[in-house]
């Protein structure tokens, strides 16, 4: 889902920054409200986990691979705005230091993997947490799938709008009918399951610890 | 230290050690191919893709350290990336602390 430079038309890039800059500004305001020295160590660690889980490439049939993103975990442990900012930072580091995802496409990548994934993950969990113990799994699974859908639509519209007189695409060449199924099948059945499992497992580790601590405090 | 942080750090340590598992496939992600892929599949590279192809030269391209083997490069990338993530939050923490004390 890390769209490289050159894949999106300058118009797409301009629109994406016009949307994302106010969202980042608002997100930064939210950080000011919600963060303090007590929450920062856990947030830093979960952000580093998001960076690391994205290095676990999983192959799928068809000669491609993919990975989980770990955005939902941060969203359900903290807040969707904080998760959005955290994963945006992770994506910036990936683009600048590792060449994973472009600079011009940082806004689109942040919209998909940070913004959409954080809000879908957070509200899915919120809605399901009292209904099923698998709420973290479903939140992780759904969050990356909606992000992948958005990514495939943004890629898939490129050849529709931006081509030369001969009909040759100028940017990403494959249309919606190729991009959506290719992205979604792999995410619905593989990467979504990995993200769901990651969210569920780490969430239950963290909650178990928290409950133990409460029990110990009550016992004292 | 907060217990949740300890657990999260333990998970981080395990994942850091296990990170070369991510190298088991060298298949690219769908929609993240290099330009030669398009040359091969379409017979041409879309003009805009060729023109705007990467702005910068990353220090650790594709999570590798030029001149070392894949596993070393991947470990170095994982450590550098994790440190940079912590560094960003450390800096933001400092900025926020300053703002709070100003209020």
């Amino acid at each position: 889902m890390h769209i490289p430079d050159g894949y999106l038309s300058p118009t797409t890039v301009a629109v994406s920054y016009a949307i994302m800059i106010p969202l980042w500004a608002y997100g930064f305001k939210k950080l000011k409200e919600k963060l303090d020295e007590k929450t920062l160590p856990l947030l830093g660690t979960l952000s580093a986990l998001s960076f690391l889980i994205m290095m676990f490439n999983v192959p799928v049939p068809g000669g491609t691979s993919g990975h989980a993103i770990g955005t939902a975990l941060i969203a359900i442990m903290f807040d969707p705005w904080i998760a959005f900012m955290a994963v945006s930072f992770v994506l910036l580091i990936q683009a600048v230091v590792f060449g994973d995802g472009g600079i011009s496409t940082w806004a689109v990548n942040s919209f998909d993997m940070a913004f959409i994934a954080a809000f879908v993950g957070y509200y899915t969990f919120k809605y399901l947490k009292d209904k099923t113990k698998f709420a973290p799994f479903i939140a992780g699974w759904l969050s990356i799938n909606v992000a992948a859908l958005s990514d495939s639509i943004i890629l898939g519209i490129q050849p529709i709008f931006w081509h030369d007189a001969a009909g040759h695409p100028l940017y990403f060449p494959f249309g919606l009918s190729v991009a959506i199924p290719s992205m979604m099948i792999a995410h619905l059945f593989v990467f979504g399951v990995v993200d769901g499992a990651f969210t569920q497992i780490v969430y239950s580790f963290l909650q178990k610890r928290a409950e133990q601590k409460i029990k110990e405090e009550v016992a004292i | 230290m907060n217990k949740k942080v300890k657990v999260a750090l333990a998970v981080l340590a395990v994942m850091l050690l296990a990170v070369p598992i991510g190298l088991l496939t060298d298949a690219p992600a769908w929609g993240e191919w290099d330009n030669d892929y398009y040359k091969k599949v379409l017979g041409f590279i879309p003009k805009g893709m060729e023109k705007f192809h990467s702005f910068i030269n990353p220090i650790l391209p594709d999570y590798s350290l030029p001149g070392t083997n894949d596993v070393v490069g991947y470990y170095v990338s994982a450590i550098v990336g994790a440190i940079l993530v912590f560094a960003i939050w450390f800096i933001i923490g400092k900025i926020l602390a300053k703002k709070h004390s100003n209020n």
Side-chain angles (χ1 to χ4, degrees), chain A residues 149 152-160 174-182:
Chain A
L149 181 62
S152 62
I153 291 170
I154 294 167
L155 286 172
I157 61 170
Q158 299 303 313
I160 303 175
F174 306 126
L176 293 167
S177 61
V178 176
I180 293 177
S182 306

Side-chain angles (χ1 to χ4, degrees), chain A residues 1-2 5-7 31-32 35 40 42-45 47-49 51-53 55-57 59 63-65 86 89 93-100 103 164 168-174 179 182 205-206 209-210 216, chain B residues 3-5 7-9 11-12 15-16 18-19 22 25 27-33 38 42 44 46-49 52 54-56 58-63 74 77-78 81 84-86 88-89 92-93 96 99-100:
Chain A
M1 246 187 278
H2 291 68
D5 283 320
Y7 271 52
L31 292 182
K32 271 192 260 177
L35 290 188
L40 272 171
L42 184 61
L43 179 58
T45 314
S47 307
L49 285 184
F51 174 82
L52 279 179
I53 196 70
M55 292 182 75
F56 284 81
N57 297 312
T64 61
S65 72
F89 295 141
I93 293 169
Q94 288 170 331
V96 174
V97 183
F98 305 99
D100 192 10
I103 306 290
D164 61 16
H168 283 318
L170 291 171
Y171 305 99
F172 188 73
F174 306 126
S182 306
F205 279 166
L206 294 171
R209 276 292 165 180
E216 280 162 22
Chain B
K3 283 211 169 156
K4 272 189 192 174
V5 180
V7 175
L9 283 172
V11 175
L12 183 72
M15 280 177 55
L16 204 57
V19 83
T25 172
W30 196 91
E32 295 180 26
W33 302 285
Y38 298 100
L42 302 171
F44 66 96
K47 281 193 195 104
M49 290 184 109
F52 296 114
S54 55
F55 290 53
I56 47 162
I59 307 159
L60 298 164
D62 290 325
Y63 305 92
Y74 222 52
S77 297
L84 288 173
V85 171
F86 277 107
I88 285 189
W89 283 119
I92 288 175
L96 296 182
K99 291 227 160 110
H100 280 302

Side-chain angles (χ1 to χ4, degrees), chain A residues 95-118:
Chain A
V96 174
V97 183
F98 305 99
D100 192 10
I103 306 290
S104 62
T105 51
W106 179 47
V108 166
N109 290 334
S110 297
F111 179 73
D112 296 334
M113 286 183 272
F115 188 78
I116 290 188

Side-chain angles (χ1 to χ4, degrees), chain B residues 17-76:
Chain B
L17 284 173
V19 83
I21 292 172
L23 285 170
L24 290 177
T25 172
D26 59 2
W30 196 91
E32 295 180 26
W33 302 285
D34 288 334
N35 280 352
D36 22 320
Y37 172 87
Y38 298 100
K39 181 93 199 156
K40 208 171 68 192
V41 173
L42 302 171
F44 66 96
I45 300 168
K47 281 193 195 104
M49 290 184 109
E50 205 167 11
K51 192 169 150 200
F52 296 114
H53 177 248
S54 55
F55 290 53
I56 47 162
N57 289 318
I59 307 159
L60 298 164
D62 290 325
Y63 305 92
S64 68
L65 181 61
T68 63
N69 75 39
D70 287 354
V71 173
V72 172
Y74 222 52
Y75 270 127
V76 170

Side-chain angles (χ1 to χ4, degrees), chain A residues 55-209:
Chain A
M55 292 182 75
F56 284 81
N57 297 312
V58 181
V60 288
T64 61
S65 72
H67 51 73
I69 51 179
T71 310
L73 177 69
I74 310 174
I76 67 180
M77 290 303 297
F78 287 94
D79 168 282
W81 286 103
I82 291 177
F84 158 54
M85 295 304 284
V87 178
S88 295
F89 295 141
V90 168
L91 292 168
L92 183 63
I93 293 169
Q94 288 170 331
V96 174
V97 183
F98 305 99
D100 192 10
I103 306 290
S104 62
T105 51
W106 179 47
V108 166
N109 290 334
S110 297
F111 179 73
D112 296 334
M113 286 183 272
F115 188 78
I116 290 188
F119 280 86
V120 170
Y122 178 81
Y123 284 104
T124 306
F125 178 76
K126 200 177 165 188
Y127 179 70
L128 290 175
K129 69 176 176 196
D130 299 322
K131 297 186 174 72
T132 164
K133 62 176 178 175
F134 297 112
F137 178 89
I138 300 166
W141 179 83
L142 193 60
S143 71
I144 193 172
N145 273 293
V146 181
L149 181 62
S150 166
D151 170 272
S152 62
I153 291 170
I154 294 167
L155 286 172
I157 61 170
Q158 299 303 313
I160 303 175
F161 293 113
W162 296 281
H163 48 74
D164 61 16
H168 283 318
L170 291 171
Y171 305 99
F172 188 73
F174 306 126
L176 293 167
S177 61
V178 176
I180 293 177
S182 306
M183 282 298 282
M184 293 320 294
I185 292 168
H187 283 81
L188 288 167
F189 295 106
V190 183
F191 315 136
V193 176
V194 179
D195 206 302
F198 169 79
T199 310
Q200 182 83 37
I201 292 167
V202 182
Y203 176 82
S204 30
F205 279 166
L206 294 171
Q207 287 315 106
K208 241 178 237 162
R209 276 292 165 180

